[in-house]
Amino acid sequence: MWGSQSSSMYKRTPSRDYSPVVDVEDNSRLLLDDDDDASKETETTNPPWICSLPHVLVATLSSFLFGYHLGVVNEPLESISSDLGFTGNTLAEGLVVSVCLGGAFIGSLFSGGAADGLGRRRAFQLSALPMILGAFVSGVSNSLAVMLLGRFLVGTGMGLGPPVAALYVTEVSPAFVRGTYGSFIQIATCLGLMAALFIGIPVHNITGWWRVCFWLSTIPAAALALGMFFCAESPQWLFKQGRIAEAEAEFERLLGGSHVKTAMAELHKLELDKTDEPDFVTLTELLYGRHSRVVFIGSTLFALQQLSGINAVFYFSSTVFKSAGVPSDMANIFVGISNLLGSLIAMVLMDKVGRKLLLLWSFIGMALAMALQVGATSSYLPHFSALCLSVGGTLVFVLTFALGAGPVPGLLLPEIFPSRIRAKALALCLSVHWVINFFVGLLFLKLLEQLGPRLLYSMFSTFCLMAVMFVKRNVIETKGKTLQEIEISLLAKP
């Protein structure tokens, strides 16, 4: 039943020779000026972006769900603890919030194998299943143990979905809009967080509303699972499986018929340029093999993203705004708007200024925002000025994070990873992301208590400056290049 609607079409589509060799007909056509001009125009025209847009939008439902489940317990947590009988138990409340991170770590470990073994579409559908089941279990829970089980199940889907989304969006997008489409992932995450916030508003007035908050998430999860039946499979994945005719058909759906020959020729050229390598990718190869450097770059980017203090800022933002007299729900709205605004700006700039420049601007801006936070702790400043610096620093930090450090790593890494290791290498890097995310969340309040905000925020600012130097030295620009061009350029380097 999986993809049965399109498989019959593929069988009727003959495989054509797209080897990068000029044939006799092409040579004779060079004698005709008009035909030569038309050929050049065909080659230089970008494929229609509208063909791939619906497939990308369906894929970003997984990112929407990721954001939604990150924020779904923020407002209802007090009601949940009251109804399930653990009011005042901070450990239990912390587990309800963070147990999904453990599930996400497990899910991310299996995301590469699922994406390579089942294909991108089936991996999406697989990620939707635990999110549907976990949301239902959480909604009907009558004890802490059942709630934790539901949250863990949701977490496995959260860990599985985003890596597949990053892979899929990168592989089905035309090169000239791949950065813009990649930004949709961050925007969808922001919208999911904001949706969770708004849906949770009635929880203090309507008894049991927190159950509805969980159940509503099954709608986009079901839409993701069903929508993938009608979406294209990744042509790169099909080509790796030897399903050449199907890859041609999917390229035609995504790029239009006039661009199929060029896309397939690039895949064939890439295959010819590769040395003999086994299809199976081991952890040892990722850590110590010929591609270990790009894996190191990816893992370090995600590590620096988390060590910049973004989650600490999210955790502490309500307290900062509360000290300025702003209610917590309004604080969440302000932070959410800053996050969304930065993501929208990134979407506009991603394919204009490039990934590397956005990363540099982002980390520099985050370092300056942390410097504002450090300045706000000075005893020489008037109270009002300190509050303005603290609130302004928080919003600027979130805005600049969403400008580059948030969306770029998830887009850049699938671009620089060779197709053979892409899924598993991204899964490894995201596992690093989840581990550091967990420890930052676990240790932040303890470090804040022992070190104080000035020293802690100075450390975060230092990590941001380290990220600037790392990006400047190690990250390559991928704007406007096809995945095959990027891989060939990397293979050419010693």
Side-chain angles (χ1 to χ4, degrees), residues 120 166-176 178-179 234-237 251 255 263 266-267 270 274 355 410-420 422 476 478-491:
R120 310 324 189 209
L167 285 171
Y168 185 81
V169 172
T170 299
E171 292 176 343
V172 304
S173 302
F176 76 104
R178 193 170 60 239
S234 162
Q236 283 84 356
W237 180 79
F251 267 134
L255 304 179
E266 287 180 347
L267 285 178
L270 182 60
K274 288 182 179 179
R355 287 61 153 153
L411 168 67
L412 179 70
L413 300 193
E415 291 180 322
I416 66 173
F417 289 151
S419 57
R420 192 178 70 87
R422 186 174 292 143
I476 64 170
T478 59
K479 178 189 68 171
K481 299 178 181 178
T482 66
L483 298 181
Q484 291 72 39
E485 288 172 342
I486 296 168
E487 186 168 347
I488 290 170
S489 68
L490 290 173
L491 284 172

Side-chain angles (χ1 to χ4, degrees), residues 123-142:
F124 273 121
Q125 293 168 322
L126 181 63
S127 74
L129 293 179
M131 285 195 276
I132 293 173
L133 179 60
F136 177 78
V137 170
S138 297
V140 301
S141 61
N142 54 10

Side-chain angles (χ1 to χ4, degrees), residues 277-283 285 420 424:
E277 295 177 321
D279 291 334
F280 185 73
V281 180
T282 65
L283 180 61
E285 180 185 354
R420 192 178 70 87
K424 291 180 180 176

Side-chain angles (χ1 to χ4, degrees), residues 157-480:
M158 289 171 58
L160 181 58
V164 181
L167 285 171
Y168 185 81
V169 172
T170 299
E171 292 176 343
V172 304
S173 302
F176 76 104
V177 290
R178 193 170 60 239
T180 301
Y181 283 177
S183 300
F184 287 1
I185 293 176
Q186 178 74 7
I187 292 172
T189 303
C190 296
L191 293 176
L193 282 164
M194 296 180 73
L197 169 67
F198 284 111
I199 290 173
I201 289 176
V203 75
H204 300 296
N205 301 318
I206 303 176
T207 303
W209 182 257
W210 61 269
R211 300 182 186 275
V212 177
C213 295
F214 287 113
W215 289 335
L216 285 175
S217 69
T218 61
I219 298 174
L224 172 65
L226 295 175
M228 275 296 145
F229 281 112
F230 305 98
C231 288
E233 181 56 90
S234 162
Q236 283 84 356
W237 180 79
L238 291 170
F239 187 86
K240 281 173 59 180
Q241 305 303 308
R243 295 156 64 176
I244 308 301
E246 297 177 38
E248 294 168 7
E250 296 296 43
F251 267 134
E252 188 167 355
R253 290 179 67 186
L254 295 166
L255 304 179
S258 61
H259 295 272
V260 174
K261 182 175 182 178
T262 302
M264 292 300 298
E266 287 180 347
L267 285 178
H268 280 288
K269 184 177 187 301
L270 182 60
E271 193 71 16
L272 292 174
D273 288 344
K274 288 182 179 179
T275 57
D276 293 333
E277 295 177 321
D279 291 334
F280 185 73
V281 180
T282 65
L283 180 61
T284 302
E285 180 185 354
L286 294 178
L287 296 178
Y288 305 107
R290 63 186 299 221
H291 303 300
S292 60
R293 176 166 174 76
V294 288
V295 175
F296 168 75
I297 292 172
S299 301
T300 305
L301 270 181
F302 272 121
L304 290 170
Q305 180 197 65
Q306 294 304 305
L307 292 172
S308 70
I310 182 60
N311 283 316
V313 168
F314 280 135
Y315 299 150
F316 201 52
S317 62
S318 296
T319 304
V320 171
F321 280 89
K322 189 176 180 180
S323 65
V326 180
S328 62
D329 56 346
M330 289 299 296
N332 290 332
I333 291 175
F334 285 140
V335 170
I337 291 174
S338 296
N339 201 1
L340 181 60
L341 179 61
S343 301
L344 291 172
I345 295 173
M347 178 187 72
V348 174
L349 296 179
M350 192 76 73
D351 286 312
K352 289 181 169 52
V353 303
R355 287 61 153 153
K356 185 172 183 176
L357 196 56
L358 277 183
L359 272 178
L360 291 172
W361 288 355
S362 179
F363 280 117
I364 291 172
M366 291 160 68
L368 293 175
M370 277 298 175
L372 292 179
Q373 297 276 34
V374 173
T377 64
S378 173
S379 58
Y380 298 102
L381 284 178
H383 180 66
F384 179 75
S385 299
L387 286 178
C388 289
L389 278 180
S390 185
V391 170
T394 299
L395 294 179
V396 170
F397 187 89
V398 173
L399 176 71
T400 52
F401 171 82
L403 185 66
V408 171
L411 168 67
L412 179 70
L413 300 193
E415 291 180 322
I416 66 173
F417 289 151
S419 57
R420 192 178 70 87
I421 69 165
R422 186 174 292 143
K424 291 180 180 176
L426 186 60
L428 175 63
C429 294
L430 279 168
S431 300
V432 173
H433 165 276
W434 284 115
V435 169
I436 297 181
N437 189 345
F438 174 78
F439 281 108
V440 169
L442 180 67
L443 300 175
F444 171 68
L445 291 178
K446 188 70 173 176
L447 290 173
L448 185 66
E449 179 184 333
Q450 293 187 350
L451 302 178
R454 179 180 299 182
L455 181 55
L456 186 57
Y457 286 142
S458 296
M459 291 171 59
F460 288 146
S461 183
T462 302
F463 278 120
C464 291
L465 293 176
M466 290 171 60
V468 172
M469 293 185 287
F470 180 82
V471 169
K472 193 171 181 62
R473 291 190 59 181
N474 296 283
V475 171
I476 64 170
E477 184 53 68
T478 59
K479 178 189 68 171

